[in-house]
Amino acid sequence: MKAKTLGILAAITIVGIVVAVFVNQEPASQLPGSGELLFPSLLSVVNNVGEVVVETKDQTVTLVREEKTWRVKEKAGYRADVEKVKQTLIGLAELRILEPKTKNPELYDRLGLQDKEQEDSLSTTVTLKTANNPEAAVVILGNQRPAKGNPRMSEIYVRKPEDPQTWLTIGNLPLEKVSGEWLDTEITALTTKRVHRVTVTHPDGETLLVLKEKPDDLDFQLDSVPAGSKVASQFNVNNVVGTLVQLPLEDVKKEEEVNFQNHTGVAVVLETFDGLRLHVQTTKQEDKIFGKFSAEFDQKLVQPVEDTPLSEKGETVQAQDSAQDEMVLGSPEGKQPDEEQGKRYSEEESILKKPEEVQGEVEAFNQRVQGWAYQLPTFRVENFSKAKKDLLATIP
């Protein structure tokens, strides 16, 4: 056979092989399991899940639901971030299969799917439990990457225990692997416009007082400025309050585990125009700063509204007559001063709260923080525990 003929036959053979490959390659939508939910029945029972266990080679996180509150077992049962728990539950329930992968255990390490007990394992095992089923869903999660064409989703390699089949799935499954990352980090969440004054008392007895006269005043002021001095930075003065009203935790312990009697921290009292008094005490322990919190309602703190306050939306809210006028003139409808005072502000728009709302706020806050010591970010504590001299500068 001539060389030219052999070349033609070889070319035809190669083309035939290529065509066969494309013909026999199934589209992704036709691959076994493609598009199916990894856990088809999970969505129907996701509201019944009462425990989530996240296990890696080095750590275990246990999230337990008590009525409407999720708690982190490894953090003495402190509140968990409910949004993170929801994202995990929904994320698992909505994981969809893209395609099957290897069944060979020797290749699991390439996908990050080794058993968590194996050396150098990077896998994460997630177990969802209900009252009737301790293994409502169990999955081993491996390597992941942004999904093609949709960076908000992830492609995740998974397998189920006791099943050698691995899968490439797609979904949105943010998953924390450290117990501290599951904590509800919010301690305080107030608006600065509600705050009337803040008093900071240092261990040596020195006191810092910052305040403003009206809710819509832009800046807080020092109670006094010595002759020859001036405020060095208005931002730093405002930041004393700004830090306290939006304070997160870094970690948490039971209060009895932290010594608050060593007088190494500051005592802070924050008071609002609508009757809230917040107490904060800090202390140093093991090179960390901890704080304990409590709140109370004091009717004497409620300020008469003499000017038109600003709403949180930047709109104005019409102020009513002062409480003093009401007491003198009386109410034409026979209502008590407290009732009239509650009507001074729009229920939806006022920056200040009614007395009964503040009382409810205080009760909920104390239930949440009582008995706990919070590890606080050092730089934030430094922001609100400054001495007065730290906020002043000499006038040239």
Side-chain angles (χ1 to χ4, degrees):
M1 187 176 294
K2 295 182 180 180
K4 183 177 180 180
T5 303
L6 289 173
I8 293 173
L9 289 174
I12 292 173
T13 302
I14 292 173
V15 171
I17 293 173
V18 172
V19 171
V21 169
F22 279 95
V23 168
N24 293 318
Q25 183 175 9
E26 293 181 287
S29 61
Q30 296 179 9
L31 291 170
S34 179
E36 295 180 3
L37 292 171
L38 184 67
F39 295 104
S41 62
L42 183 55
L43 277 174
S44 63
V45 298
V46 71
N47 289 329
N48 298 328
V49 174
E51 185 173 333
V52 179
V53 183
V54 181
E55 299 173 280
T56 62
K57 181 176 177 59
D58 301 319
Q59 296 209 37
T60 298
V61 181
T62 310
L63 308 171
V64 181
R65 187 174 67 178
E66 297 179 0
E67 296 182 354
K68 296 182 180 180
T69 304
W70 282 90
R71 301 189 180 276
V72 185
K73 181 180 179 181
E74 288 74 17
K75 290 297 180 181
Y78 191 73
R79 294 166 62 98
D81 186 331
V82 67
E83 289 304 316
K84 289 187 176 181
V85 178
K86 287 180 181 179
Q87 288 174 4
T88 298
L89 295 176
I90 299 301
L92 281 173
E94 293 183 343
L95 272 184
R96 290 188 179 275
I97 295 171
L98 285 179
E99 58 182 346
K101 291 298 183 180
T102 184
K103 292 183 179 180
N104 185 355
E106 295 181 2
L107 300 178
Y108 286 173
D109 61 331
R110 299 184 184 181
L111 305 181
L113 290 173
Q114 314 99 303
D115 289 332
K116 63 180 184 297
E117 296 81 8
Q118 289 186 258
E119 187 177 359
D120 299 325
S121 173
L122 299 176
S123 69
T124 302
T125 301
V126 182
T127 304
L128 307 186
K129 302 180 181 183
T130 66
N132 300 322
N133 188 352
E135 293 186 348
V138 186
V139 65
I140 300 172
L141 305 173
N143 299 339
Q144 58 179 290
R145 64 196 180 209
K148 298 175 182 178
N150 189 355
R152 291 180 297 179
M153 304 285 279
S154 297
E155 294 180 357
I156 309 169
Y157 292 102
V158 306
R159 68 180 177 91
K160 298 179 181 180
E162 313 303 329
D163 184 353
Q165 179 67 62
T166 63
W167 304 90
L168 178 62
T169 63
I170 186 170
N172 186 5
L173 185 60
L175 187 68
E176 305 292 354
K177 302 175 185 179
V178 180
S179 58
E181 297 297 325
W182 286 95
L183 294 172
D184 179 354
T185 60
E186 179 184 288
I187 305 176
T188 59
L190 303 169
T191 60
T192 55
K193 286 185 177 292
R194 290 179 63 190
V195 180
H196 184 193
R197 56 180 170 249
V198 170
T199 305
V200 182
T201 304
H202 292 263
D204 61 1
E206 181 183 353
T207 299
L208 169 69
L209 173 61
V210 299
L211 71 165
K212 62 181 179 180
E213 294 184 359
K214 298 176 293 185
D216 57 343
D217 284 350
L218 182 61
D219 293 319
F220 288 87
Q221 308 296 331
L222 298 179
D223 64 322
S224 63
V225 177
S229 298
K230 64 177 182 178
V231 172
S233 167
Q234 184 62 56
F235 173 83
N236 288 341
V237 175
N238 290 341
N239 212 24
V240 172
V241 179
T243 300
L244 283 166
V245 297
Q246 299 288 331
L247 196 58
L249 63 82
E250 285 192 340
D251 205 349
V252 65
K253 292 179 179 288
K254 286 289 190 179
E255 185 178 326
E256 59 263 27
E257 298 179 43
V258 178
N259 179 15
F260 282 96
Q261 306 303 318
N262 57 14
H263 305 292
T264 59
V266 296
V268 181
V269 178
L270 179 152
E271 295 173 338
T272 69
F273 288 102
D274 51 13
L276 172 67
R277 181 181 289 116
L278 173 69
H279 297 271
V280 184
Q281 182 179 346
T282 69
T283 189
K284 292 182 179 179
Q285 181 170 300
E286 300 174 354
D287 297 323
K288 299 174 182 177
I289 302 178
F290 289 87
K292 65 176 182 177
F293 296 73
S294 64
E296 60 181 314
F297 172 73
D298 187 344
Q299 181 67 43
K300 296 177 182 178
L301 298 179
V302 179
Q303 299 292 305
V305 178
E306 299 175 355
D307 297 312
T308 302
L310 295 177
S311 74
E312 292 183 14
K313 298 179 181 179
E315 301 169 347
T316 58
V317 182
Q318 184 64 44
Q320 303 296 321
D321 295 335
S322 68
Q324 182 177 357
D325 289 341
E326 289 171 354
M327 293 177 66
V328 174
L329 301 176
S331 171
E333 297 179 3
K335 294 183 179 179
Q336 297 301 314
D338 284 350
E339 293 181 84
E340 290 299 324
Q341 179 181 348
K343 289 192 174 181
R344 290 180 193 155
Y345 317 105
S346 163
E347 291 184 2
E348 297 180 357
E349 298 179 342
S350 175
I351 59 175
L352 303 183
K353 295 187 176 183
K354 298 178 183 179
E356 60 269 25
E357 292 175 329
V358 178
Q359 291 169 2
E361 179 183 32
V362 165
E363 181 179 359
F365 181 80
N366 286 334
Q367 287 179 351
R368 182 158 54 88
V369 303
Q370 185 176 11
W372 297 101
Y374 296 93
Q375 183 184 331
L376 304 175
T378 300
F379 79 95
R380 293 185 184 271
V381 176
E382 292 173 349
N383 286 343
F384 69 73
S385 59
K386 293 183 183 297
K388 178 182 281 191
K389 62 182 179 60
D390 298 327
L391 299 171
L392 297 174
T394 301
I395 298 176

